Amino acid sequence: ATHCTSWDMRWMRMLSRLGAVAKGTSRRLRDASGNAVVEFTGLSVILLIPLVYLLLTCASVQSASFAADTLARQIARVYSVHDLAEGREERIAGIVAEVERDYGVEVEARDIEVSCESASCPVAGEVVSVEVSLAAPIPGLGVIGLDSSIVDVKGRHALIAEGGTS
């Protein structure tokens, strides 16, 4: 005769419940409905965050590049025109302020280099060369304690000066 104690009965009920839970879990794992949405969302986030960061970085470098080119061109024009000799520094300061506002970059005096062949720059018929070097800020690097201006861009422009010595 088989003799079952109350402990044996509880053990058997617990094993039965565990078996039912295991069957239900395996059934749910085999049924993949809804998992595609979760996987798509997860992969989208994982792939889109670096893509957005790359786009922001490219936009920052491109903006600094446009700013350097614009500054070099405009400053060369100011130096090449004899009639603009008076108030040249004020005009250049205005150009720099406008470029800073439009392109979102910071320009310092050491970023701009003007060169001419003679000591009295510019002389009529002489080439005036302007080179602008700007640091393109990389988004997010300052937050983690790194120098955010690790990319340098340059803009160069040269014009032949008209008029007389200024």
Side-chain angles (χ1 to χ4, degrees):
T2 309
H3 176 93
C4 289
T5 63
S6 65
W7 188 84
D8 288 336
M9 292 299 285
R10 279 186 276 169
W11 178 253
M12 288 172 61
R13 270 186 270 152
M14 187 175 74
L15 285 176
S16 174
R17 284 186 200 146
L18 249 146
V21 168
K23 283 181 185 178
T25 303
S26 71
R27 218 178 298 121
R28 274 184 262 135
L29 288 176
R30 275 184 271 149
D31 181 24
S33 64
N35 285 346
V37 173
V38 172
E39 290 171 4
F40 177 76
T41 304
L43 285 175
S44 295
V45 168
I46 290 171
L47 295 175
L48 283 178
I49 289 174
L51 182 63
V52 168
Y53 183 78
L54 178 67
L55 288 174
L56 289 173
T57 301
C58 288
S60 178
V61 171
Q62 189 67 35
S63 178
S65 178
F66 283 154
D69 185 58
T70 300
L71 268 176
R73 187 178 336 102
Q74 295 302 325
I75 291 172
R77 286 179 181 167
V78 168
Y79 268 92
S80 69
V81 178
H82 177 68
D83 295 342
L84 299 177
E86 288 184 32
R88 180 179 291 146
E89 296 306 317
E90 292 82 21
R91 289 185 206 302
I92 291 174
I95 292 169
V96 168
E98 187 175 343
V99 165
E100 285 179 332
R101 185 187 69 239
D102 289 349
Y103 294 101
V105 295
E106 292 181 22
V107 181
E108 297 178 16
R110 70 173 190 263
D111 297 335
I112 302 168
E113 183 180 319
V114 179
S115 60
C116 300
E117 296 169 0
S118 67
S120 58
C121 186
V123 175
E126 180 181 72
V127 175
V128 178
S129 297
V130 178
E131 182 175 308
V132 178
S133 298
L134 295 177
I138 305 299
L141 290 184
V143 174
I144 59 174
L146 297 174
D147 183 17
S148 66
S149 56
I150 59 174
V151 176
D152 288 332
V153 294
K154 292 185 187 275
R156 294 183 184 102
H157 202 74
L159 287 175
I160 297 175
E162 60 184 51
T165 305
S166 61

